[in-house]
Amino acid sequence: MRKISDTITRLAAFRAGPGFQTKGQCRDRLSDLGDFGSNPGALRARIYVPDDLPEAAPLVVVLHGCTQTAAGYDSGSGWSQLADQEGFALLFPEQQRANNPNLCFNWFVPSDTKRNGGEALSIRQMIEAVVVEYGLDPGRIFITGLSAGGAMASVMLACYPEVFTGGAIIAGLPYGSAKTISEAFDRMRGYGMPSGRQLQKSLRDASPHQGPWPTITVWHGSADQTVASSNADAIVEQWRAIHGLDARSTRSEMVDGHSRYVWCNAQGQELIEEYRIAGMGHGTPLDTAGDAALGAGGPYMLDIGISSTRHIARFWGIAKPCVKRDSKTKPARANSDALAASVARAFWMPKVGVPNIPHSAKRADIPPSQKPNSAAGIRKVIEEALRSAGFMH
Protein backbone atom coordinates (compact mmCIF):
# COMPACT_ATOMS: atom_id res chain seq x y z
CA MET A 1 0.00 0.00 0.00
CA ARG A 2 1.11 3.60 -0.58
CA LYS A 3 2.63 5.77 2.13
CA ILE A 4 0.48 7.93 4.42
CA SER A 5 1.95 11.13 2.96
CA ASP A 6 1.07 10.01 -0.57
CA THR A 7 -2.50 9.22 0.48
CA ILE A 8 -2.97 12.61 2.16
CA THR A 9 -1.37 14.44 -0.76
CA ARG A 10 -3.69 12.66 -3.20
CA LEU A 11 -6.76 13.64 -1.20
CA ALA A 12 -5.61 17.22 -0.71
CA ALA A 13 -4.90 17.57 -4.41
CA PHE A 14 -8.46 16.67 -5.25
CA ARG A 15 -9.69 19.31 -2.81
CA ALA A 16 -7.28 21.96 -4.04
CA GLY A 17 -8.17 21.66 -7.71
CA PRO A 18 -10.78 20.30 -10.10
CA GLY A 19 -8.83 17.09 -10.78
CA PHE A 20 -10.90 16.63 -13.94
CA GLN A 21 -10.35 16.75 -17.66
CA THR A 22 -12.91 19.08 -19.15
CA LYS A 23 -14.05 18.87 -22.72
CA GLY A 24 -11.24 19.60 -25.14
CA GLN A 25 -8.43 19.36 -22.62
CA CYS A 26 -7.50 15.71 -23.08
CA ARG A 27 -4.68 14.87 -25.41
CA ASP A 28 -5.86 13.04 -28.51
CA ARG A 29 -3.28 10.35 -29.32
CA LEU A 30 -5.57 8.45 -31.69
CA SER A 31 -5.83 8.41 -35.47
CA ASP A 32 -8.70 7.47 -37.73
CA LEU A 33 -9.00 4.07 -39.35
CA GLY A 34 -10.01 4.44 -42.97
CA ASP A 35 -12.57 2.38 -44.82
CA PHE A 36 -13.24 -0.82 -42.87
CA GLY A 37 -16.39 -2.21 -44.47
CA SER A 38 -20.09 -1.57 -44.84
CA ASN A 39 -20.29 -0.13 -41.29
CA PRO A 40 -24.03 -0.77 -40.75
CA GLY A 41 -23.84 0.74 -37.26
CA ALA A 42 -22.42 4.02 -38.60
CA LEU A 43 -19.62 4.12 -36.00
CA ARG A 44 -16.29 5.90 -36.17
CA ALA A 45 -13.10 3.85 -35.87
CA ARG A 46 -10.03 5.24 -34.12
CA ILE A 47 -6.75 3.45 -33.50
CA TYR A 48 -3.44 3.73 -31.69
CA VAL A 49 -0.41 1.85 -32.98
CA PRO A 50 2.83 2.33 -31.02
CA ASP A 51 6.09 3.00 -32.81
CA ASP A 52 8.13 -0.16 -33.41
CA LEU A 53 5.14 -2.41 -32.80
CA PRO A 54 6.32 -6.04 -32.68
CA GLU A 55 5.19 -8.45 -35.36
CA ALA A 56 1.95 -10.31 -34.60
CA ALA A 57 1.21 -8.01 -31.65
CA PRO A 58 -2.01 -8.29 -29.62
CA LEU A 59 -5.02 -6.03 -30.19
CA VAL A 60 -7.16 -4.45 -27.47
CA VAL A 61 -10.58 -3.06 -28.40
CA VAL A 62 -11.69 -0.28 -26.01
CA LEU A 63 -15.29 0.94 -25.76
CA HIS A 64 -16.00 4.28 -24.08
CA GLY A 65 -19.00 5.05 -21.87
CA CYS A 66 -21.92 7.43 -22.39
CA THR A 67 -21.03 11.13 -22.93
CA GLN A 68 -17.41 10.12 -23.56
CA THR A 69 -15.25 10.09 -26.67
CA ALA A 70 -12.61 7.59 -27.69
CA ALA A 71 -9.79 10.11 -27.12
CA GLY A 72 -11.19 11.15 -23.75
CA TYR A 73 -11.48 7.58 -22.54
CA ASP A 74 -7.98 6.77 -23.72
CA SER A 75 -6.55 9.82 -21.95
CA GLY A 76 -8.35 8.91 -18.73
CA SER A 77 -7.72 5.16 -18.73
CA GLY A 78 -4.13 5.25 -19.94
CA TRP A 79 -4.52 2.45 -22.47
CA SER A 80 -2.23 4.06 -25.05
CA GLN A 81 0.40 4.67 -22.35
CA LEU A 82 0.35 0.97 -21.52
CA ALA A 83 0.39 0.04 -25.22
CA ASP A 84 3.64 1.98 -25.58
CA GLN A 85 5.13 0.15 -22.61
CA GLU A 86 4.00 -3.37 -23.51
CA GLY A 87 3.75 -3.38 -27.31
CA PHE A 88 0.16 -3.90 -28.43
CA ALA A 89 -2.26 -2.08 -30.73
CA LEU A 90 -5.52 -0.40 -29.78
CA LEU A 91 -8.87 0.00 -31.54
CA PHE A 92 -11.39 2.51 -30.20
CA PRO A 93 -14.84 2.25 -31.78
CA GLU A 94 -16.57 5.59 -31.24
CA GLN A 95 -20.30 6.28 -31.08
CA GLN A 96 -21.84 9.14 -33.07
CA ARG A 97 -24.58 11.50 -31.90
CA ALA A 98 -26.70 10.61 -34.92
CA ASN A 99 -26.97 7.10 -33.45
CA ASN A 100 -27.33 8.07 -29.80
CA PRO A 101 -27.51 11.69 -28.53
CA ASN A 102 -25.66 10.75 -25.33
CA LEU A 103 -22.93 8.87 -27.22
CA CYS A 104 -23.95 5.56 -25.62
CA PHE A 105 -23.42 2.38 -27.55
CA ASN A 106 -26.86 0.88 -28.22
CA TRP A 107 -26.32 -2.26 -26.17
CA PHE A 108 -30.09 -2.76 -25.68
CA VAL A 109 -31.25 -2.37 -29.31
CA PRO A 110 -31.83 -5.82 -30.90
CA SER A 111 -30.71 -4.72 -34.38
CA ASP A 112 -27.38 -3.47 -32.98
CA THR A 113 -26.69 -6.42 -30.70
CA LYS A 114 -26.97 -9.43 -32.98
CA ARG A 115 -24.25 -11.30 -34.79
CA ASN A 116 -23.57 -9.78 -38.22
CA GLY A 117 -25.80 -6.76 -37.74
CA GLY A 118 -25.76 -3.11 -36.67
CA GLU A 119 -23.12 -1.72 -34.32
CA ALA A 120 -21.87 -5.20 -33.45
CA LEU A 121 -20.99 -5.90 -37.08
CA SER A 122 -19.35 -2.47 -37.46
CA ILE A 123 -17.01 -3.26 -34.58
CA ARG A 124 -16.30 -6.70 -36.02
CA GLN A 125 -15.40 -5.13 -39.36
CA MET A 126 -13.06 -2.66 -37.65
CA ILE A 127 -11.27 -5.50 -35.91
CA GLU A 128 -10.76 -7.41 -39.13
CA ALA A 129 -9.47 -4.32 -40.93
CA VAL A 130 -6.92 -3.31 -38.27
CA VAL A 131 -5.67 -6.90 -37.81
CA VAL A 132 -5.01 -7.22 -41.55
CA GLU A 133 -3.51 -3.75 -42.00
CA TYR A 134 -1.02 -4.06 -39.13
CA GLY A 135 -0.38 -7.80 -39.16
CA LEU A 136 -1.73 -8.32 -35.64
CA ASP A 137 -2.17 -11.68 -33.95
CA PRO A 138 -5.76 -12.93 -34.57
CA GLY A 139 -5.32 -15.27 -31.62
CA ARG A 140 -4.76 -12.41 -29.15
CA ILE A 141 -7.68 -10.02 -29.50
CA PHE A 142 -9.24 -8.59 -26.35
CA ILE A 143 -12.09 -6.20 -25.59
CA THR A 144 -12.99 -3.93 -22.69
CA GLY A 145 -15.50 -1.18 -22.00
CA LEU A 146 -17.07 1.05 -19.35
CA SER A 147 -20.79 1.26 -18.56
CA ALA A 148 -22.65 1.26 -21.92
CA GLY A 149 -19.27 0.38 -23.43
CA GLY A 150 -19.02 -2.47 -20.94
CA ALA A 151 -22.48 -3.65 -21.93
CA MET A 152 -21.42 -3.46 -25.58
CA ALA A 153 -18.31 -5.47 -24.72
CA SER A 154 -20.73 -8.10 -23.37
CA VAL A 155 -22.50 -7.98 -26.74
CA MET A 156 -19.31 -8.52 -28.71
CA LEU A 157 -18.11 -11.35 -26.46
CA ALA A 158 -21.48 -13.08 -26.87
CA CYS A 159 -21.91 -12.52 -30.61
CA TYR A 160 -18.28 -13.18 -31.62
CA PRO A 161 -16.71 -15.37 -28.92
CA GLU A 162 -14.41 -16.97 -31.49
CA VAL A 163 -12.79 -13.58 -32.11
CA PHE A 164 -11.78 -12.75 -28.53
CA THR A 165 -9.31 -14.35 -26.18
CA GLY A 166 -10.56 -12.30 -23.25
CA GLY A 167 -12.92 -9.53 -22.23
CA ALA A 168 -13.18 -6.98 -19.42
CA ILE A 169 -16.50 -5.45 -18.37
CA ILE A 170 -16.33 -2.37 -16.14
CA ALA A 171 -19.59 -1.20 -14.51
CA GLY A 172 -21.45 -2.93 -17.35
CA LEU A 173 -24.38 -5.27 -17.85
CA PRO A 174 -24.81 -8.87 -19.06
CA TYR A 175 -25.68 -9.74 -22.63
CA GLY A 176 -29.37 -10.22 -23.34
CA SER A 177 -30.56 -8.41 -20.21
CA ALA A 178 -32.57 -5.71 -22.03
CA LYS A 179 -34.21 -5.17 -25.42
CA THR A 180 -35.88 -1.77 -24.91
CA ILE A 181 -34.96 1.57 -23.37
CA SER A 182 -37.29 1.02 -20.42
CA GLU A 183 -35.81 -2.42 -19.79
CA ALA A 184 -32.33 -0.94 -20.02
CA PHE A 185 -33.07 1.58 -17.26
CA ASP A 186 -34.63 -1.11 -15.10
CA ARG A 187 -31.59 -3.38 -15.48
CA MET A 188 -29.25 -0.51 -14.69
CA ARG A 189 -31.13 -0.02 -11.43
CA GLY A 190 -31.04 -3.74 -10.73
CA TYR A 191 -34.72 -4.47 -11.44
CA GLY A 192 -36.20 -7.30 -13.47
CA MET A 193 -32.96 -9.05 -14.37
CA PRO A 194 -33.60 -12.29 -16.34
CA SER A 195 -32.77 -15.46 -14.46
CA GLY A 196 -29.32 -16.97 -14.65
CA ARG A 197 -30.70 -19.73 -16.87
CA GLN A 198 -32.22 -17.18 -19.25
CA LEU A 199 -29.00 -15.18 -19.45
CA GLN A 200 -27.00 -18.32 -20.14
CA LYS A 201 -29.40 -19.26 -22.94
CA SER A 202 -29.08 -15.79 -24.46
CA LEU A 203 -25.31 -16.17 -24.46
CA ARG A 204 -25.37 -19.62 -26.05
CA ASP A 205 -27.92 -18.58 -28.67
CA ALA A 206 -25.98 -15.46 -29.72
CA SER A 207 -23.58 -17.44 -31.93
CA PRO A 208 -22.97 -20.98 -33.21
CA HIS A 209 -19.71 -21.10 -31.25
CA GLN A 210 -18.87 -24.27 -29.33
CA GLY A 211 -15.70 -23.12 -27.54
CA PRO A 212 -13.19 -22.43 -26.17
CA TRP A 213 -14.73 -19.34 -24.63
CA PRO A 214 -13.03 -16.03 -23.77
CA THR A 215 -11.76 -15.40 -20.27
CA ILE A 216 -13.70 -12.71 -18.43
CA THR A 217 -12.75 -10.06 -15.89
CA VAL A 218 -15.50 -8.00 -14.22
CA TRP A 219 -15.01 -4.71 -12.33
CA HIS A 220 -17.67 -2.86 -10.35
CA GLY A 221 -17.83 -0.27 -7.58
CA SER A 222 -19.71 -1.21 -4.43
CA ALA A 223 -21.26 2.29 -4.28
CA ASP A 224 -22.29 2.51 -7.95
CA GLN A 225 -25.62 4.34 -8.12
CA THR A 226 -25.79 4.39 -11.93
CA VAL A 227 -25.43 0.68 -12.73
CA ALA A 228 -26.35 -1.57 -9.80
CA SER A 229 -23.60 -3.94 -8.73
CA SER A 230 -26.03 -6.84 -9.07
CA ASN A 231 -25.19 -6.63 -12.76
CA ALA A 232 -21.66 -7.79 -11.96
CA ASP A 233 -23.13 -10.86 -10.24
CA ALA A 234 -25.26 -11.55 -13.31
CA ILE A 235 -22.28 -11.26 -15.68
CA VAL A 236 -20.23 -13.66 -13.59
CA GLU A 237 -23.14 -16.11 -13.41
CA GLN A 238 -23.69 -15.92 -17.16
CA TRP A 239 -20.07 -16.71 -17.99
CA ARG A 240 -19.42 -19.08 -15.11
CA ALA A 241 -22.03 -21.44 -16.50
CA ILE A 242 -20.70 -21.24 -20.06
CA HIS A 243 -17.25 -22.19 -18.74
CA GLY A 244 -18.71 -24.99 -16.61
CA LEU A 245 -17.30 -23.60 -13.37
CA ASP A 246 -18.56 -23.99 -9.82
CA ALA A 247 -20.80 -21.31 -8.36
CA ARG A 248 -18.33 -20.72 -5.55
CA SER A 249 -15.11 -18.95 -6.49
CA THR A 250 -11.92 -20.99 -6.40
CA ARG A 251 -10.23 -18.42 -4.20
CA SER A 252 -10.42 -14.81 -3.03
CA GLU A 253 -7.78 -12.28 -2.07
CA MET A 254 -7.20 -8.60 -1.43
CA VAL A 255 -5.46 -6.60 -4.16
CA ASP A 256 -4.59 -2.98 -3.43
CA GLY A 257 -7.18 -3.10 -0.67
CA HIS A 258 -10.05 -4.43 -2.82
CA SER A 259 -11.68 -7.84 -3.09
CA ARG A 260 -10.73 -10.10 -5.99
CA TYR A 261 -12.55 -13.39 -6.65
CA VAL A 262 -11.19 -15.98 -9.07
CA TRP A 263 -12.78 -19.00 -10.78
CA CYS A 264 -10.36 -21.61 -12.14
CA ASN A 265 -10.82 -24.72 -14.25
CA ALA A 266 -9.59 -28.17 -13.25
CA GLN A 267 -6.12 -27.34 -14.58
CA GLY A 268 -5.89 -24.26 -12.36
CA GLN A 269 -6.23 -21.76 -15.22
CA GLU A 270 -7.93 -18.52 -14.21
CA LEU A 271 -10.98 -18.15 -16.46
CA ILE A 272 -13.04 -15.54 -14.60
CA GLU A 273 -12.07 -12.87 -12.10
CA GLU A 274 -14.19 -10.25 -10.36
CA TYR A 275 -13.04 -7.09 -8.61
CA ARG A 276 -15.38 -5.35 -6.17
CA ILE A 277 -14.03 -1.86 -5.56
CA ALA A 278 -14.89 -0.75 -2.04
CA GLY A 279 -16.72 2.57 -1.81
CA MET A 280 -16.37 3.39 -5.52
CA GLY A 281 -19.18 4.89 -7.57
CA HIS A 282 -19.71 4.63 -11.31
CA GLY A 283 -16.55 4.68 -13.37
CA THR A 284 -13.22 3.16 -14.31
CA PRO A 285 -10.79 2.59 -11.41
CA LEU A 286 -7.43 4.31 -11.86
CA ASP A 287 -4.10 4.68 -10.12
CA THR A 288 -2.36 7.84 -11.33
CA ALA A 289 0.39 8.01 -8.67
CA GLY A 290 3.80 6.40 -8.48
CA ASP A 291 6.10 4.77 -11.02
CA ALA A 292 3.31 2.60 -12.47
CA ALA A 293 0.86 5.49 -12.91
CA LEU A 294 -1.57 5.36 -15.83
CA GLY A 295 -4.24 7.75 -17.04
CA ALA A 296 -5.81 10.81 -15.44
CA GLY A 297 -8.79 11.34 -13.16
CA GLY A 298 -11.97 12.91 -14.49
CA PRO A 299 -15.72 12.31 -14.80
CA TYR A 300 -16.27 8.55 -14.58
CA MET A 301 -12.47 8.08 -14.39
CA LEU A 302 -11.88 7.54 -10.68
CA ASP A 303 -8.40 7.75 -9.20
CA ILE A 304 -8.77 5.45 -6.22
CA GLY A 305 -5.37 3.75 -6.13
CA ILE A 306 -5.92 0.65 -8.30
CA SER A 307 -5.34 0.60 -12.05
CA SER A 308 -7.98 -1.50 -13.76
CA THR A 309 -6.15 -0.92 -17.05
CA ARG A 310 -2.91 -2.44 -15.81
CA HIS A 311 -4.58 -5.31 -13.92
CA ILE A 312 -6.80 -6.20 -16.89
CA ALA A 313 -3.82 -6.34 -19.26
CA ARG A 314 -1.98 -8.51 -16.74
CA PHE A 315 -4.95 -10.90 -16.51
CA TRP A 316 -4.89 -11.22 -20.29
CA GLY A 317 -1.17 -11.93 -20.30
CA ILE A 318 -0.20 -8.92 -22.43
CA ALA A 319 1.46 -6.89 -19.66
CA LYS A 320 3.98 -7.60 -16.96
CA PRO A 321 2.51 -8.80 -13.66
CA CYS A 322 1.24 -6.04 -11.42
CA VAL A 323 3.01 -5.42 -8.15
CA LYS A 324 0.34 -6.39 -5.65
CA ARG A 325 0.82 -4.05 -2.78
CA ASP A 326 -1.72 -5.96 -0.72
CA SER A 327 -2.31 -9.51 -1.92
CA LYS A 328 -2.91 -11.15 1.46
CA THR A 329 -6.19 -12.82 2.26
CA LYS A 330 -6.37 -10.77 5.44
CA PRO A 331 -4.68 -7.35 5.79
CA ALA A 332 -2.02 -6.88 8.45
CA ARG A 333 -3.59 -5.47 11.62
CA ALA A 334 -0.87 -2.91 12.36
CA ASN A 335 0.28 -1.99 8.87
CA SER A 336 0.38 1.80 8.66
CA ASP A 337 0.20 1.94 4.86
CA ALA A 338 -2.79 -0.40 4.66
CA LEU A 339 -4.52 1.55 7.42
CA ALA A 340 -3.85 4.83 5.64
CA ALA A 341 -5.37 3.57 2.40
CA SER A 342 -8.41 2.15 4.17
CA VAL A 343 -8.97 5.50 5.89
CA ALA A 344 -8.63 7.27 2.56
CA ARG A 345 -11.23 4.98 1.00
CA ALA A 346 -13.59 5.68 3.87
CA PHE A 347 -13.53 9.35 2.83
CA TRP A 348 -13.71 8.52 -0.88
CA MET A 349 -17.30 7.81 -1.88
CA PRO A 350 -17.61 8.76 -5.56
CA LYS A 351 -21.22 9.27 -6.63
CA VAL A 352 -22.22 8.99 -10.27
CA GLY A 353 -18.63 9.22 -11.39
CA VAL A 354 -17.58 12.30 -9.39
CA PRO A 355 -15.36 11.95 -6.31
CA ASN A 356 -17.21 13.22 -3.25
CA ILE A 357 -14.38 15.47 -2.05
CA PRO A 358 -14.83 19.08 -0.76
CA HIS A 359 -13.33 21.87 -2.84
CA SER A 360 -10.41 23.30 -0.84
CA ALA A 361 -7.76 22.10 1.56
CA LYS A 362 -4.22 22.65 2.70
CA ARG A 363 -1.68 19.90 2.27
CA ALA A 364 -1.15 18.00 5.47
CA ASP A 365 2.37 17.70 6.88
CA ILE A 366 3.17 15.10 9.52
CA PRO A 367 5.88 16.23 11.97
CA PRO A 368 8.77 13.72 12.23
CA SER A 369 8.29 13.63 16.00
CA GLN A 370 4.90 12.05 15.48
CA LYS A 371 6.09 9.03 13.53
CA PRO A 372 4.32 6.09 15.19
CA ASN A 373 5.59 2.69 16.19
CA SER A 374 2.26 1.30 17.42
CA ALA A 375 -1.27 0.85 16.08
CA ALA A 376 -2.58 3.59 18.39
CA GLY A 377 0.13 5.96 17.21
CA ILE A 378 -0.68 5.18 13.60
CA ARG A 379 -4.33 6.05 14.09
CA LYS A 380 -3.38 9.29 15.85
CA VAL A 381 -1.10 10.39 13.04
CA ILE A 382 -3.68 9.58 10.37
CA GLU A 383 -6.45 11.37 12.23
CA GLU A 384 -4.31 14.46 12.79
CA ALA A 385 -3.17 14.47 9.17
CA LEU A 386 -6.74 14.18 7.90
CA ARG A 387 -7.86 16.93 10.25
CA SER A 388 -5.09 19.16 8.91
CA ALA A 389 -6.24 18.42 5.37
CA GLY A 390 -9.80 19.23 6.36
CA PHE A 391 -11.24 15.73 6.09
CA MET A 392 -11.93 15.30 9.80
CA HIS A 393 -13.11 17.64 12.56
Side-chain angles (χ1 to χ4, degrees):
M1 304 297 289
R2 59 177 48 84
K3 297 181 182 298
I4 296 173
S5 59
D6 177 61
T7 300
I8 302 303
T9 300
R10 181 190 297 270
L11 291 170
F14 265 92
R15 295 192 62 183
F20 297 143
Q21 301 170 82
T22 56
K23 185 176 180 180
Q25 288 183 330
C26 67
R27 179 186 176 192
D28 188 349
R29 306 188 73 199
L30 312 182
S31 59
D32 287 307
L33 180 67
D35 181 28
F36 54 84
S38 60
N39 191 16
L43 301 177
R44 184 184 183 188
R46 312 211 66 203
I47 59 173
Y48 182 79
V49 180
D51 295 335
D52 301 320
L53 185 72
E55 292 185 9
L59 172 67
V60 176
V61 182
V62 184
L63 300 170
H64 62 79
C66 296
T67 75
Q68 296 178 320
T69 64
Y73 192 78
D74 174 54
S75 180
S77 63
W79 272 108
S80 63
Q81 289 178 261
L82 190 61
D84 284 336
Q85 296 171 17
E86 302 291 351
F88 55 80
L90 294 166
L91 166 65
F92 289 81
E94 186 173 74
Q95 184 58 284
Q96 306 298 290
R97 291 198 186 278
N99 299 329
N100 188 296
N102 293 317
L103 298 180
C104 307
F105 289 100
N106 290 308
W107 60 271
F108 51 85
V109 176
S111 60
D112 283 313
T113 59
K114 64 181 181 179
R115 186 179 174 94
N116 298 332
E119 291 180 8
L121 179 55
S122 289
I123 296 171
R124 177 67 185 95
Q125 290 174 339
M126 295 176 196
I127 294 170
E128 181 67 22
V130 75
V131 167
V132 171
E133 182 170 348
Y134 292 96
L136 305 178
D137 184 353
R140 289 191 295 166
I141 300 175
F142 308 88
I143 189 166
T144 182
L146 166 67
S147 193
M152 198 66 191
S154 289
V155 169
M156 296 303 297
L157 289 162
C159 292
Y160 301 100
E162 76 281 5
V163 172
F164 301 102
T165 302
I169 302 164
I170 305 172
L173 299 97
Y175 176 74
S177 56
K179 295 181 179 179
T180 66
I181 293 177
S182 60
E183 286 183 355
F185 279 112
D186 281 346
R187 304 304 179 262
M188 290 169 64
R189 298 184 182 101
Y191 303 139
M193 183 66 68
S195 69
R197 188 179 297 275
Q198 289 172 317
L199 289 175
Q200 293 153 22
K201 184 178 187 302
S202 294
L203 179 54
R204 291 187 181 279
D205 291 348
S207 77
H209 186 63
Q210 297 299 314
W213 297 90
T215 61
I216 303 294
T217 174
V218 180
W219 293 69
H220 218 110
S222 67
D224 193 329
Q225 298 182 28
T226 301
V227 177
S229 60
S230 58
N231 283 279
D233 297 327
I235 295 167
V236 170
E237 174 67 13
Q238 187 175 52
W239 284 94
R240 181 194 60 74
I242 207 80
H243 279 293
L245 303 174
D246 293 337
R248 185 174 181 177
S249 62
T250 306
R251 69 176 185 274
S252 62
E253 59 186 359
M254 298 297 291
V255 177
D256 291 350
H258 301 283
S259 298
R260 177 183 185 247
Y261 304 92
V262 184
W263 285 260
C264 300
N265 60 15
Q267 291 73 43
Q269 180 186 5
E270 296 182 354
L271 299 182
I272 298 175
E273 69 171 5
E274 178 187 9
Y275 278 85
R276 284 300 176 95
I277 309 304
M280 191 185 79
H282 189 63
T284 295
L286 307 176
D287 185 357
T288 65
D291 295 335
L294 284 178
Y300 309 107
M301 311 304 293
L302 308 181
D303 185 6
I304 63 162
I306 182 170
S307 173
S308 56
T309 301
R310 197 174 291 278
H311 279 283
I312 287 167
R314 176 209 61 81
F315 183 69
W316 290 339
I318 60 172
K320 292 181 288 292
C322 301
V323 177
K324 297 181 181 178
R325 288 168 289 193
D326 180 14
S327 60
K328 299 176 285 296
T329 303
K330 294 182 180 179
R333 296 180 62 183
N335 185 308
S336 60
D337 294 332
L339 183 57
S342 66
V343 170
R345 284 192 296 275
F347 286 88
W348 195 302
M349 295 291 289
K351 183 176 182 179
V352 194
V354 181
N356 184 20
I357 302 295
H359 297 295
S360 64
K362 296 180 180 179
R363 178 170 176 170
D365 294 314
I366 304 171
S369 61
Q370 296 184 12
K371 290 182 180 179
N373 55 17
S374 68
I378 292 167
R379 294 189 187 94
K380 182 179 178 181
V381 169
I382 292 173
E383 289 175 1
E384 290 180 358
L386 291 175
R387 285 192 185 94
S388 177
F391 297 107
M392 289 184 67
H393 300 286

